[in-house]
Amino acid sequence: MKENSIPKATAKRLPLYYRYLRILNDAGKTKVSSTELSEAVQVDSATIRRDFSYFGELGKRGYGYDVESLMQFFAKTLSDDEMTNVALVGVGNLGSALLKYKFHQSNSIRVSAAFDVNSDIVGRIVDGIPVYPMSDMVEQIAIQRIEIAILTVPASNAQDVVNDLVDSGIKGILNFTPARISAPANVLIQNVDLTNELQTLIYFLHSNESLNPSSEEE
Amino acid sequence: MKENSIPKATAKRLPLYYRYLRILNDAGKTKVSSTELSEAVQVDSATIRRDFSYFGELGKRGYGYDVESLMQFFAKTLSDDEMTNVALVGVGNLGSALLKYKFHQSNSIRVSAAFDVNSDIVGRIVDGIPVYPMSDMVEQIAIQRIEIAILTVPASNAQDVVNDLVDSGIKGILNFTPARISAPANVLIQNVDLTNELQTLIYFLHSNESLNPSSEEE
């Protein structure tokens, strides 16, 4: 089966599996059972088996998984065996926090350039990361071979910045703005909308309560 | 059909629909066609119709939707017609940014209490939000009738804090730590793992490239 056909939900779990395998490997463990894996990543065994089945034979039945080879398989699948430079556009509150954020599970993802309009920070190095003026975006993205950008600009500027990023050759955008942005079909957009996350959680909470009124007692 | 049976993907789109309807209503618009809605929220019409069908008859065929009544329906469905107090635990870099974050789409979600161990900020008001010591957590969560907590503590403390939150009566946790936390079945956990988001985006980017090598030329 082609990797391309794997479901998005499966793809989103791959980093979880990978992270746990790295922890095991660092601890010197060589084998892991599907039950252990299931408990650690909080995904049921049947789902794990189905996820793994998209990639062919990753373990032997009744034997468990070989930690190192499985870890290396996921490292390769997730491109964590090669350095990925990422740009961050918009060094406001959230952008600054993300510059400080350790992309802890990954050895290989690095925010290598930030961009902003604020002359107080442009030209400076913030948390080890150079902050360039917006006018340097096309050039730096080309020089640093950046394909992915984190978008933390005000929503009102989001689409304009996205257009510039697309012109710069960016292929993937992690959109933290509430704006629904458009880009050509070959540019992937992943939305992380924090208000949506909270509203969805509130929605599930309330629909759950009406389902299990007894749950309020615990 | 019961609201409880709606798919998670549908639930996640409800805030999008709601936000756009509020924008239209603020602009004085009274009707919206399914095509307009589709373009604005970037969800195809068939998906919108299926999403809406879970809630019964929300519009008339060929007539479009009534903006105000649909907006009010979603406000109620998302509990945006009542105030929801939210706690934030861990006022580090990301936590501080989230205290400043405007939960812009919502009139009704408010971070009303933050908690931290750092004596430099405990007892102070940060961005309008009081920061309490951890020892006040049970009391404040009860007094303020808080059911939802945003978790931005270090991963190593995450499970301990979750246990305390559950003891305090919290029913939903938006987990920004990379830790996979456990809680009783009646407590909802929504994970927002920023490294995962980036790794998934990188994965899709690379599997896409192998699917459409021509996309590199654009």
Side-chain angles (χ1 to χ4, degrees), chain A residues 203 207 210-211, chain B residues 1-8 10-11 14 49-58 73 77:
Chain A
Y203 171 77
S207 60
S210 61
L211 186 66
Chain B
M1 196 174 283
K2 292 278 290 180
E3 277 187 31
N4 297 314
S5 61
I6 80 159
K8 192 159 188 178
T10 295
L14 301 183
R49 275 194 301 274
R50 199 178 59 238
D51 285 349
F52 283 16
S53 72
Y54 291 107
F55 301 97
E57 205 60 63
L58 295 183
F73 172 79
T77 303

Side-chain angles (χ1 to χ4, degrees), chain A:
Chain A
M1 195 174 283
K2 290 277 290 178
E3 277 187 33
N4 296 315
S5 60
I6 80 158
K8 192 160 188 179
T10 295
K12 289 200 160 199
R13 284 188 289 266
L14 302 183
L16 290 181
Y17 301 141
Y18 175 52
R19 173 150 44 98
Y20 180 61
L21 288 162
R22 283 183 55 201
I23 291 169
L24 289 180
N25 190 59
D26 289 349
K29 242 190 133 194
T30 55
K31 300 279 169 230
V32 61
S33 71
S34 60
T35 313
E36 282 172 290
L37 187 58
S38 170
E39 281 169 9
V41 298
Q42 309 236 336
V43 174
D44 66 274
S45 309
T47 302
I48 293 178
R49 275 194 300 273
R50 199 177 59 239
D51 286 349
F52 283 16
S53 72
Y54 291 108
F55 301 98
E57 204 61 60
L58 295 183
K60 285 179 201 149
R61 186 168 289 271
Y63 174 83
Y65 299 103
D66 182 86
V67 169
E68 194 178 356
S69 66
L70 195 56
M71 179 190 76
Q72 281 167 353
F73 173 78
F74 282 119
K76 201 163 165 48
T77 304
L78 292 167
S79 306
D80 206 43
D81 54 346
E82 48 191 89
M83 178 62 89
T84 302
N85 283 336
V86 171
L88 182 143
V89 192
V91 189
N93 295 320
L94 189 58
S96 301
L98 294 181
L99 288 188
K100 291 191 184 73
Y101 189 81
K102 307 283 168 250
F103 290 98
H104 30 75
Q105 294 140 261
S106 167
N107 288 322
S108 64
I109 298 176
R110 175 175 165 255
V111 177
S112 60
F115 301 94
D116 204 280
V117 294
N118 178 358
S119 56
D120 290 347
I121 52 167
V122 161
R124 287 181 44 205
I125 292 175
V126 175
D127 292 301
I129 299 158
V131 181
Y132 298 95
M134 298 300 282
S135 54
D136 286 2
M137 201 159 73
V138 175
E139 185 188 356
Q140 284 300 327
I141 284 175
I143 291 175
Q144 302 190 31
R145 298 184 173 203
I146 295 173
E147 292 189 317
I148 291 179
I150 297 171
L151 190 66
T152 45
V153 299
S156 52
N157 301 340
Q159 188 61 56
D160 287 345
V161 172
V162 166
N163 297 344
D164 292 345
L165 285 170
V166 170
D167 290 344
S168 306
I170 285 289
K171 297 294 182 212
I173 295 171
L174 196 57
N175 174 29
F176 280 91
T177 82
R180 295 295 275 183
I181 53 181
S182 328
N186 69 320
V187 175
L188 293 172
I189 293 172
Q190 191 144 327
N191 295 301
V192 183
D193 187 313
L194 304 178
T195 309
N196 270 22
E197 297 283 348
L198 264 182
Q199 284 187 325
T200 308
L201 185 59
I202 292 168
Y203 171 77
F204 279 117
L205 203 66
H206 291 175
S207 60
N208 238 28
E209 274 171 8
S210 61
L211 186 66
N212 302 314
S214 65
S215 69
E216 286 201 4
E217 285 156 41
E218 193 168 313

Side-chain angles (χ1 to χ4, degrees), chain B residues 169-216:
Chain B
I170 286 289
K171 297 294 183 212
I173 296 172
L174 196 58
N175 174 28
F176 280 92
T177 81
R180 295 297 274 182
I181 53 181
S182 327
N186 69 320
V187 175
L188 293 172
I189 293 171
Q190 191 144 327
N191 296 302
V192 183
D193 187 313
L194 305 177
T195 309
N196 270 22
E197 298 282 348
L198 265 181
Q199 284 187 325
T200 308
L201 185 59
I202 292 169
Y203 171 77
F204 279 117
L205 202 69
H206 291 176
S207 60
N208 236 29
E209 275 173 7
S210 60
L211 186 67
N212 302 313
S214 65
S215 69
E216 286 201 3

Side-chain angles (χ1 to χ4, degrees), chain B residues 117-135:
Chain B
V117 293
N118 178 357
S119 56
D120 291 348
I121 53 169
V122 161
R124 286 181 45 205
I125 292 174
V126 176
D127 292 301
I129 299 158
V131 181
Y132 299 95
M134 299 299 283
S135 53

